[in-house]
């Protein structure tokens, strides 16, 4: 803590290609475009950005769309989180989201509009996360307000993070 450039870890989810998933996820090409848009927006901030891709899926590690754009870690999720100051996630239906909710780290959840939570869970997620919503552009691509992203990611440490509900 106290770093002038916080270490931000963006935790991505799996690509399912043309396969259908029971989890509501964007199609592979849409998600790849979204990730590159998000990573470019994050790279413009005064942060030290690292990406942690999903360990499995239809895209091999050397072919992830944002490979070469940003530092990427392929070690364990737990090791990557241990070196982060802020976590950024865009997928709620993952074990990484539940683990991230249980940490003492600031958590930015980018809402792609894919999930509906019951009222109690939604209230707890809203209290625990710095929530940033996306909009759909004229080409049906999710896009983010760069000012809202900057505010959420660069807000600094929080004094009263309470992950108790999620633990």
């Amino acid at each position: 803590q106290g770093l002038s450039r916080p270490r931000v870890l963006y935790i991505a989810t799996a690509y399912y290609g043309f396969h259908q998933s029971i989890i509501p996820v964007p199609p592979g090409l849409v998600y790849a475009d979204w990730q590159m848009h998000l990573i470019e927006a994050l790279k413009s901030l005064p942060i030290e950005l690292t990406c942690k891709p999903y360990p499995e899926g239809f895209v091999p590690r050397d072919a992830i769309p944002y490979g070469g754009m940003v530092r990427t870690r392929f070690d364990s999720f737990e090791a990557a989180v241990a070196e982060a100051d802020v976590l950024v996630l865009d997928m709620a239906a993952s074990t990484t989201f539940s683990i991230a909710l249980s940490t003492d780290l600031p958590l930015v959840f980018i809402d792609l509009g894919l999930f509906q939570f019951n009222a109690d869970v939604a209230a707890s997620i809203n209290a625990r996360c710095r929530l940033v919503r996306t909009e759909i552009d004229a080409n049906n691509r999710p896009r983010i307000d760069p000012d809202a992203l900057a505010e959420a990611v660069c807000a600094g440490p929080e004094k009263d993070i309470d992950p108790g509900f999620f633990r």
Side-chain angles (χ1 to χ4, degrees):
Q1 299 295 345
L3 298 174
S4 59
R5 294 177 65 85
R7 298 168 299 175
V8 174
L9 181 67
Y10 167 51
I11 304 159
T13 198
Y15 289 97
Y16 291 92
F18 293 110
H19 299 334
Q20 186 162 351
S21 168
I22 202 165
I23 301 168
V25 295
L29 291 175
V30 173
Y31 193 55
D33 177 78
W34 157 250
Q35 287 184 313
M36 289 185 277
H37 169 74
L38 175 61
I39 289 167
E40 287 298 333
L42 287 166
K43 284 173 49 177
S44 74
L45 302 176
I47 63 172
E48 189 178 309
L49 178 62
T50 302
C51 289
K52 176 69 180 109
Y54 192 80
E56 301 168 5
F58 291 100
V59 176
R61 144 187 315 203
D62 60 347
I64 55 174
Y66 52 84
M69 289 178 65
V70 65
R71 178 176 179 239
T72 305
R73 291 185 69 153
F74 295 101
D75 57 346
S76 75
F77 171 72
E78 293 78 9
V81 169
E83 295 182 14
D85 299 312
V86 178
L87 303 177
V88 175
L89 288 103
D90 57 13
M91 198 59 55
S94 70
T95 54
T96 55
F97 187 60
S98 62
I99 293 168
L101 287 166
S102 299
T103 69
D104 294 324
L105 295 171
L107 173 56
V108 177
F109 177 57
I110 300 174
D111 185 0
L112 293 168
L114 301 173
F115 301 94
Q116 296 293 319
F117 300 103
N118 74 37
D120 291 338
V121 173
S124 295
I125 287 173
N126 289 338
R128 171 65 183 92
C129 299
R130 299 171 183 172
L131 187 63
V132 182
R133 298 191 191 285
T134 57
E135 299 289 329
I136 302 300
D137 74 4
N139 293 314
N140 288 322
R141 300 174 303 177
R143 290 297 181 250
I144 196 161
D145 175 355
D147 294 332
L149 180 65
E151 183 178 328
V153 172
C154 299
E158 295 177 30
K159 294 182 174 120
D160 299 324
I161 293 176
D162 181 11
F165 175 86
F166 301 102
R167 288 181 179 166

